[in-house]
Amino acid sequence: MSEISVEIGKQIRNTRKKRKMTLDNLASEICKSKSTVSKYEKGEIAVDIETLYEIADALHIHVEQLLYQRPERSCLPVEKNYPTFFQGLSLFYAYLFDGRNNTILRCHFDVLSQVDTNQYKIMMYMNFQDYENYQSCENTYYGYITHFDAVTNIHLTNQHSPMEEASAEILASYLDADTKWGLWKGFSSRPMMPIATKMLFSRHRLEENAALIKTLKISKEDIRLLKLYNMLSVV
């Protein structure tokens, strides 16, 4: 079995499960047998182009979301006018605290390609079990990282739910530090509501302990500023 067939099969299976569809459901939608769809998902047989479009339609996604591209990272430039925090990185990490189940959500960012002078295409993988298999995660986002004079902006779209968009703003990324605070804004499906919280960005993996959880939680000072400004801010 080829790497491409295996990876496309994983995309089909993950999307199907997120759509709460059974193998029987998907097989019926595309007029294939259950065993054939199972082989598609395992990468045992290749999916022809016409069937791939039919699967995408059945899953209510764009066909591009099922395609596989071998991970080839780019490095952000090392230039004095480029934000110091991001210089030379081909990947970076971020963390936030999920109060719904009292866990740290870890995120992995891959820098893919340059779009223009201040913008790069990126992929974000959120809530994975281990760093070695970070692409097997709860949510995958694609989008862009853009640098302005004082702020770095990240704008993302959920790969499996194109209507869901998220963003993060990182202040003073030109200052030299291993970590930076940002404000994460997105849409939660558990329960369904718009959200905004603080996110800690890091050039390296962080030890996930009680100290990190305390840092990620919204503090009394955060609440004081929220009451003062009537805005959720991260400083």
Side-chain angles (χ1 to χ4, degrees):
M1 60 183 72
S2 72
E3 178 188 12
I4 293 175
S5 293
V6 170
E7 294 300 328
I8 288 177
K10 287 180 182 178
Q11 294 281 57
I12 294 171
R13 181 177 63 254
N14 291 340
T15 306
R16 174 179 61 78
K17 289 184 175 181
K18 287 181 179 181
R19 293 286 187 269
K20 302 188 184 303
M21 292 180 70
T22 65
L23 276 171
D24 284 321
N25 295 150
L26 182 54
S28 176
E29 286 282 338
I30 64 173
C31 300
K32 301 285 185 182
S33 68
K34 178 180 177 180
S35 62
T36 297
V37 175
S38 177
K39 289 177 180 178
Y40 287 153
E41 292 190 353
K42 294 175 182 177
E44 293 177 356
I45 56 176
V47 186
D48 62 87
I49 294 298
E50 184 174 344
T51 301
L52 194 64
Y53 273 89
E54 291 173 351
I55 292 173
D57 287 342
L59 296 174
H60 303 292
I61 60 173
H62 296 297
V63 69
E64 290 85 355
Q65 292 172 243
L66 296 177
L67 300 180
Y68 170 66
Q69 181 179 358
R70 291 185 178 90
E72 296 178 358
R73 301 191 188 112
S74 295
C75 280
L76 295 167
V78 181
E79 301 173 356
K80 66 177 183 179
N81 62 342
Y82 204 80
T84 304
F85 177 80
F86 292 100
Q87 284 188 13
L89 294 183
S90 61
L91 61 91
F92 55 97
Y93 306 94
Y95 301 84
L96 59 84
F97 182 76
D98 188 345
R100 296 167 297 185
N101 49 19
N102 294 316
T103 58
I104 294 173
L105 294 186
R106 58 176 76 100
C107 305
H108 178 115
F109 290 82
D110 279 334
V111 181
L112 301 182
S113 59
Q114 185 173 11
V115 179
D116 58 35
T117 304
N118 294 317
Q119 189 176 69
Y120 280 74
K121 186 174 182 180
I122 59 173
M123 292 286 291
M124 185 188 85
Y125 304 89
M126 174 181 274
N127 198 20
F128 48 88
Q129 294 300 311
D130 65 271
Y131 286 98
E132 300 305 316
N133 298 289
Y134 65 87
Q135 292 179 329
S136 297
C137 60
E138 181 180 3
N139 286 298
T140 304
Y141 295 83
Y142 66 92
Y144 302 91
I145 180 169
T146 307
H147 302 289
F148 300 102
D149 289 340
V151 178
T152 296
N153 177 270
I154 295 174
H155 186 81
L156 300 161
T157 301
N158 191 316
Q159 190 170 15
H160 298 287
S161 301
M163 296 301 292
E164 179 193 341
E165 295 188 345
S167 65
E169 284 75 39
I170 306 166
L171 184 63
S173 54
Y174 55 84
L175 296 177
D176 190 12
D178 284 335
T179 59
K180 286 289 178 186
W181 283 108
L183 182 64
W184 170 260
K185 295 171 290 184
F187 193 83
S188 166
S189 59
R190 299 180 286 115
M192 193 170 291
M193 61 182 179
I195 62 167
T197 190
K198 58 183 185 179
M199 177 179 273
L200 185 61
F201 292 83
S202 177
R203 294 174 59 90
H204 311 287
R205 297 181 191 175
L206 298 180
E207 184 176 355
E208 297 175 26
N209 51 24
L212 179 60
I213 290 175
K214 183 178 179 180
T215 301
L216 294 174
K217 283 185 174 181
I218 294 175
S219 66
K220 291 182 179 179
E221 177 62 13
D222 295 326
I223 296 173
R224 186 187 73 82
L225 293 175
L226 171 61
K227 290 180 177 179
L228 178 65
Y229 300 141
N230 200 41
M231 301 175 187
L232 180 59
S233 58
V234 177
V235 295

